[in-house]
Amino acid sequence: MRKEKALMAMLRGLVDLLAEESARNPEFSSKLETLLSELPERKSTPKKAPATPLPEDLPDIHAEWNAREETDFRLWLRDQPIPVLRAVIRTEDLDATRRTAKWKEAEKLANFIADSLRARQSRGSAFIGRSSQE
């Protein structure tokens, strides 16, 4: 931090010296102006539209899970594009540890989604069919 402050003070002194000399010497001032005018301006980059599909564009995986058998569901998932599979994982909160963030294969992502749905279904089915009398 101290070196940074010393560098700032040195640069401030240099700028003051240049300003003083350019005020006294018009030739030096014009040379300094031409030198500084060649500095490129900062270009602003346009913001890109998000490539991930919006939640309303995502397929309803629970309805597909109920409408198809498990093998058909896995095949249907594999046919989905990778950004859609990633958006489904994010929307359904299937990967809290972000383990799938680096996966590049649609088959691997589809299997992860199917296994996660099966696990959720099995946890939920533990409460189905219980009688209210115990």
Side-chain angles (χ1 to χ4, degrees), residues 86 88-103 109 112-113 116 120:
R86 289 188 191 283
V88 166
I89 290 171
R90 190 172 35 258
T91 303
E92 295 292 326
D93 196 27
L94 298 176
D95 188 20
T97 60
R98 305 225 358 114
R99 184 175 51 154
T100 62
K102 293 184 179 180
W103 293 358
L109 291 167
F112 178 80
I113 292 171
S116 298
R120 281 188 179 178

Side-chain angles (χ1 to χ4, degrees), residues 35-119:
L35 178 69
L36 293 178
S37 68
E38 294 176 5
L39 287 177
E41 293 184 19
R42 187 175 191 179
K43 295 179 182 177
S44 63
T45 57
K47 294 189 177 187
K48 296 179 181 177
T52 58
L54 299 175
E56 59 265 4
D57 296 338
L58 294 177
D60 185 9
I61 58 170
H62 296 287
E64 294 293 333
W65 175 269
N66 292 331
R68 303 170 189 261
E69 294 180 17
E70 185 175 351
T71 54
D72 290 336
F73 177 74
R74 286 179 186 269
L75 291 173
W76 173 79
L77 268 179
R78 286 182 192 160
D79 294 337
Q80 301 299 316
I82 291 178
V84 170
L85 294 175
R86 289 188 191 283
V88 166
I89 290 171
R90 190 172 35 258
T91 303
E92 295 292 326
D93 196 27
L94 298 176
D95 188 20
T97 60
R98 305 225 358 114
R99 184 175 51 154
T100 62
K102 293 184 179 180
W103 293 358
K104 306 266 190 252
E105 301 171 12
E107 182 177 348
K108 200 171 184 182
L109 291 167
N111 287 336
F112 178 80
I113 292 171
D115 292 340
S116 298
L117 279 179
R118 186 175 352 114

